[in-house]
Amino acid sequence: MIRMSEVVLPGHPDKFCDQVADAVVAECYQADPRAYCQVEMSAWCDQVFLTGGIVTRKPLARDLAEIVRATGRRIGYVAPNAIVADRYQVHDHVCQRREDPRTWTDHVNDQCITVGWAGYDAKVAWLPPEHYLAHRLGDALARSCRDGRLEGQGPDGKLLARVRESSNEWQVEQILVTLQQLEEISLLELTARIVDDLRDAYAHLRANDARWATSFDDIELLINPNGVLLNGGSDGDNGQTGRKLVVDYYGPRVAIGGGALSGKDLSHIDRAGAYAARHAALQAVRTGASACRVTVAYAPNRDVPLDVVYEMDERAERQPQEWFAHSEVRDRYRGGAFVAGLGVRGHFGDTSLPWNDPTRLNRAA
């Protein structure tokens, strides 16, 4: 069976927008632990547009334009990159209100169908192996662009992995990388550094999991097949919050429901519901299922979901509908400590997050 998945690096314009949106959510939680926030961002060239709504009892410590620029600086939009974050012209059209946000956050104010999935085991963070592989290799390149062999390159880029899965063995057949670069480095030198980083990251995976059966030298590598990429980020493409949903969820193998995750406070039912569905699917795998998909449907102003559907072959633990109630999931995952990193770190591959840890099934974050 051929499996494929794709990730984007932190400097991709869509992922930049996701990171800014979640940085705004985190800022709102600093001002008010019960904050309501729904913010979207779009970017093109040196122009950034913010829309949405924020409700907090206290003002934010920073204005939104500074959050945009600080996020850009953190991910590498600094000279001599084609994008310099401090030059962004930020058009802030977010409605900010000073009142009790619980009027907005303490009930389901939207409808949604959301899906959670888990399978395999902890060695692949209970994700499809091809998606786990793409994320780990992409993370390695992102780290290298910050302070490794590729320092100063990127931060825009994409990585695609193609894997042949058979029984309990995974043959990696192709890895495709497109990475933004500085003008002073040759494409040949960039390629050599990328190959070395991929080799090291893949060797680490193989050392921890024998199911990665392919020798690195037998993998077909495609590095910047379109040639030199200098003008990355929003200088080369427009970006928008919520356009990398398959990257954010489980890769193309698993159908997803709901909507975008980043940019919404954790009372939003499509975000909280997505985390609850993942958490429940993970617990089912931990208690006997080889894989589990949980689909949850919510209606406005109804605390308990309309329906919860489990799809799994084996008998395993199921959570009652009340466990998925908005009042439960809203407070189970609410908090600001981890939100800012989700836009880049990922929502379902980090086992330190409460919904990716079955041992924290009934504890607050």
Side-chain angles (χ1 to χ4, degrees):
M1 181 70 71
I2 298 295
R3 308 287 194 184
M4 290 181 285
S5 195
E6 182 186 42
V7 297
V8 295
L9 271 60
H12 187 281
D14 293 333
K15 192 47 62 180
F16 172 50
C17 292
D18 285 342
Q19 291 170 87
V20 170
D22 270 346
V24 172
V25 174
E27 192 81 13
C28 291
Y29 279 142
Q30 292 294 318
D32 190 334
R34 310 291 292 192
Y36 169 83
C37 179
Q38 179 168 321
V39 170
E40 295 186 343
M41 172 174 152
S42 60
W44 169 249
C45 195
D46 61 352
Q47 304 294 310
V48 166
F49 300 86
L50 298 171
T51 60
I54 291 171
V55 182
T56 56
R57 285 168 287 196
K58 295 181 180 179
L60 306 189
R62 297 182 294 171
D63 64 37
L64 301 189
E66 175 51 29
I67 295 173
V68 170
R69 297 182 183 115
T71 303
R73 291 193 296 267
R74 176 177 56 79
I75 65 174
Y77 287 165
V78 295
N81 194 278
I83 293 293
V84 177
D86 288 339
R87 298 175 185 165
Y88 273 123
Q89 299 181 48
V90 180
H91 306 271
D92 180 356
H93 301 288
V94 176
C95 176
Q96 295 197 44
R97 300 173 66 169
R98 300 287 168 261
E99 60 185 68
D100 191 340
R102 288 175 293 184
T103 303
W104 301 78
T105 61
D106 283 8
H107 67 281
V108 181
N109 56 21
D110 199 358
Q111 67 186 58
C112 78
I113 299 172
T114 191
V115 173
W117 188 92
Y120 297 92
D121 52 42
K123 287 187 175 181
V124 291
W126 297 278
L127 293 172
E130 70 279 3
H131 199 50
Y132 178 80
L133 173 68
H135 270 289
R136 296 292 75 79
L137 296 181
D139 289 347
L141 293 181
R143 289 193 302 271
S144 184
C145 288
R146 289 194 298 270
D147 54 17
R149 294 185 185 98
L150 293 168
E151 185 173 5
Q153 312 307 316
D156 189 3
K158 289 183 174 183
L159 184 143
L160 184 150
R162 184 175 184 268
V163 178
R164 185 179 298 273
E165 182 176 11
S166 58
S167 62
N168 201 34
E169 185 175 276
W170 306 322
Q171 297 283 347
V172 182
E173 297 193 339
Q174 289 175 317
I175 298 172
L176 164 62
V177 174
T178 299
L179 184 68
Q180 181 190 5
Q181 67 176 87
L182 297 176
E183 191 169 7
E184 55 263 29
I185 186 173
S186 70
L187 182 56
L188 184 62
E189 176 62 24
L190 180 81
T191 299
R193 296 185 193 183
I194 291 173
V195 171
D196 286 343
D197 282 330
L198 293 175
R199 185 187 301 275
D200 289 349
Y202 183 67
H204 180 75
L205 288 178
R206 291 193 79 194
N208 289 281
D209 193 340
R211 290 170 294 186
W212 298 110
T214 311
S215 167
F216 183 80
D217 291 336
D218 292 331
I219 301 172
E220 180 184 6
L221 302 179
L222 299 171
I223 310 295
N224 280 27
N226 203 37
V228 173
L229 172 61
L230 299 177
N231 291 44
S234 59
D235 202 42
D237 194 4
N238 64 314
Q240 190 168 319
T241 309
R243 286 207 300 206
K244 290 294 176 281
L245 296 187
V246 174
V247 170
D248 287 342
Y249 281 82
Y250 308 103
R253 190 201 304 199
V254 180
I256 60 174
L261 299 172
S262 294
K264 301 171 182 176
D265 68 81
L266 289 168
S267 76
H268 269 263
I269 196 58
D270 46 1
R271 187 168 197 173
Y275 295 160
R278 160 67 167 177
H279 209 165
L282 182 57
Q283 178 64 2
V285 171
R286 184 172 178 260
T287 57
S290 59
C292 178
R293 171 174 162 167
V294 179
T295 304
V296 189
Y298 290 93
N301 210 31
R302 291 188 61 167
D303 190 45
V304 176
L306 300 177
D307 201 3
V308 178
V309 178
Y310 275 79
E311 298 173 74
M312 54 186 174
D313 294 334
E314 299 82 2
R315 297 175 66 88
E317 184 176 319
R318 298 169 181 249
Q319 307 307 316
Q321 280 190 239
E322 292 74 17
W323 187 88
F324 297 89
H326 177 257
S327 57
E328 294 291 327
V329 299
R330 178 195 68 211
D331 294 330
R332 187 181 300 137
Y333 308 124
R334 190 203 303 270
F338 51 75
V339 171
L342 289 176
V344 61
R345 194 172 67 237
H347 300 266
F348 300 117
D350 184 346
T351 55
S352 70
L353 297 171
W355 52 88
N356 292 322
D357 181 358
T359 67
R360 299 172 67 178
L361 194 67
N362 296 307
R363 299 209 304 271

